[in-house]
Amino acid sequence: MTHDEMRALYVISVAAELAGMHPQTLRIYERRGLLQPARTQGGNRRYSELDIARLRRISELTAEGMNVEGIRRVMYLEAEVIRLRNEVDQL
């Protein structure tokens, strides 16, 4: 994960367009805890490349018929696999 991937650059309308979603969908996903965009001092959402990738993954899982809890669990497990791989690489 590079610094550029983590930089929160995109406003909600641009992030939604890049992810192929409506801005309201991003707000819903945030309320449901699937996404946590950065915030400016004024409280505006800013999305990173990682957030966009996460939105695309959410979209894939939704298209497969998965509900929000299923998506949350899959994404947690995918992150855990990455963490464990990194831990093994360090050993």
Side-chain angles (χ1 to χ4, degrees):
M1 178 173 355
T2 68
H3 177 69
D4 286 343
E5 290 174 323
M6 296 186 313
R7 281 186 40 216
L9 303 171
Y10 305 110
V11 296
I12 192 168
S13 59
V14 174
E17 184 175 337
L18 291 171
M21 299 175 178
H22 191 278
Q24 188 61 33
T25 304
L26 277 63
R27 291 182 189 98
I28 290 168
Y29 289 157
E30 182 182 359
R31 273 196 307 272
R32 293 184 176 179
L34 296 176
L35 189 67
Q36 294 178 336
R39 297 282 183 153
T40 64
Q41 286 184 344
N44 295 319
R45 295 170 180 85
R46 290 291 186 271
Y47 296 85
S48 68
E49 290 292 334
L50 288 175
D51 292 326
I52 303 303
R54 187 173 181 89
L55 286 165
R56 289 177 178 148
R57 182 65 177 137
I58 292 168
S59 182
E60 290 171 5
L61 296 171
T62 301
E64 292 175 10
M66 199 167 289
N67 65 21
V68 172
E69 280 308 310
I71 293 169
R72 188 183 333 271
R73 185 71 178 148
V74 165
M75 295 186 88
Y76 169 79
L77 291 171
E78 289 174 345
E80 186 66 7
V81 167
I82 291 168
R83 186 191 69 75
L84 290 171
R85 282 185 181 153
N86 289 337
E87 189 175 311
V88 167
D89 288 346
Q90 291 176 2
L91 295 176

